[in-house]
Amino acid sequence: MAYSLRPFHPSDADNLIELRRLAIEQIGISAYSKDQVEAWASKVGNAQGLLARFENGDLITVACDTADRAIGYSLLGPGGHLDHLYCHPEHTGQGLADKLLAQSELIARQNGARQLHTEASVLARPAFLRAGYIETERRDFEIEFGGRKVPIHNFAMVKQIG
């Protein structure tokens, strides 16, 4: 399938939040337990939060299908922090994450970043490795959910770009 990349429009916010939730719930279960997925999904946030990040300068790249429907996105925050990389479950495994990572790196370079860093899920880790990121550590932590602390993990990763 042909994909295009474009900058975020405020009208994308609701769709991207739903896309993020679907990715966590439908793809996350292949690498994390049901409790971990539920805890992670509880932290998705809302459209207002995503809009606030955009208004505060975070750079969001949206991947679209041929009908301009959002099917993936990346969010590049301050200091080269790649905070979000999500693809709709129906569009995984087709190189979309690789394209979003390449575009995020280009944008970061254009904005003077010399390094990118992220906390990649087990699922996103292979895409970051393909893009040249180096894993620096496994991060074990807990998410408060349902009155308890659910253990989960991800990977701190870094890439020098300048």
Side-chain angles (χ1 to χ4, degrees):
M1 172 173 265
Y3 301 113
S4 61
L5 301 178
R6 63 167 170 78
F8 173 82
H9 301 145
S11 61
D12 293 322
D14 286 321
N15 290 338
L16 296 186
I17 292 298
E18 178 63 9
L19 184 153
R20 183 176 179 201
R21 185 188 63 73
L22 286 172
I24 292 167
E25 292 176 352
Q26 293 181 19
I27 304 168
I29 202 67
S30 67
Y32 293 97
S33 73
K34 183 176 186 260
D35 285 347
Q36 290 170 322
V37 168
E38 288 176 353
W40 183 9
S42 76
K43 304 301 180 195
V44 164
N46 57 41
Q48 292 77 22
L50 188 61
L51 285 168
R53 292 195 65 176
F54 172 70
E55 290 166 0
N56 288 326
D58 287 358
L59 303 169
I60 304 170
T61 300
V62 179
C64 299
D65 63 12
T66 55
D68 199 41
R69 287 183 296 248
I71 54 170
Y73 79 100
S74 62
L75 184 147
L76 183 62
H81 183 226
L82 192 54
D83 195 20
H84 294 181
L85 176 66
Y86 290 97
C87 296
H88 190 281
E90 294 175 1
H91 298 273
T92 61
Q94 299 177 35
L96 188 55
D98 297 338
K99 291 177 184 185
L100 284 164
L101 286 173
Q103 183 67 17
S104 295
E105 182 176 334
L106 177 65
I107 291 168
R109 285 178 191 272
Q110 291 170 344
N111 284 278
R114 301 185 59 125
Q115 175 180 288
L116 294 170
H117 59 99
T118 195
E119 297 79 34
S121 69
V122 171
L123 300 158
R125 183 174 167 261
F128 282 98
L129 289 170
R130 282 192 307 273
Y133 284 71
I134 297 169
E135 182 181 319
T136 59
E137 69 176 310
R138 176 182 158 138
R139 297 179 60 247
D140 291 286
F141 58 99
E142 297 173 327
I143 299 174
E144 290 195 31
F145 175 71
R148 58 196 168 89
K149 294 181 178 185
V150 177
I152 195 167
H153 65 279
N154 61 22
F155 300 91
M157 302 183 82
V158 66
K159 181 176 183 179
Q160 302 302 320
I161 62 171

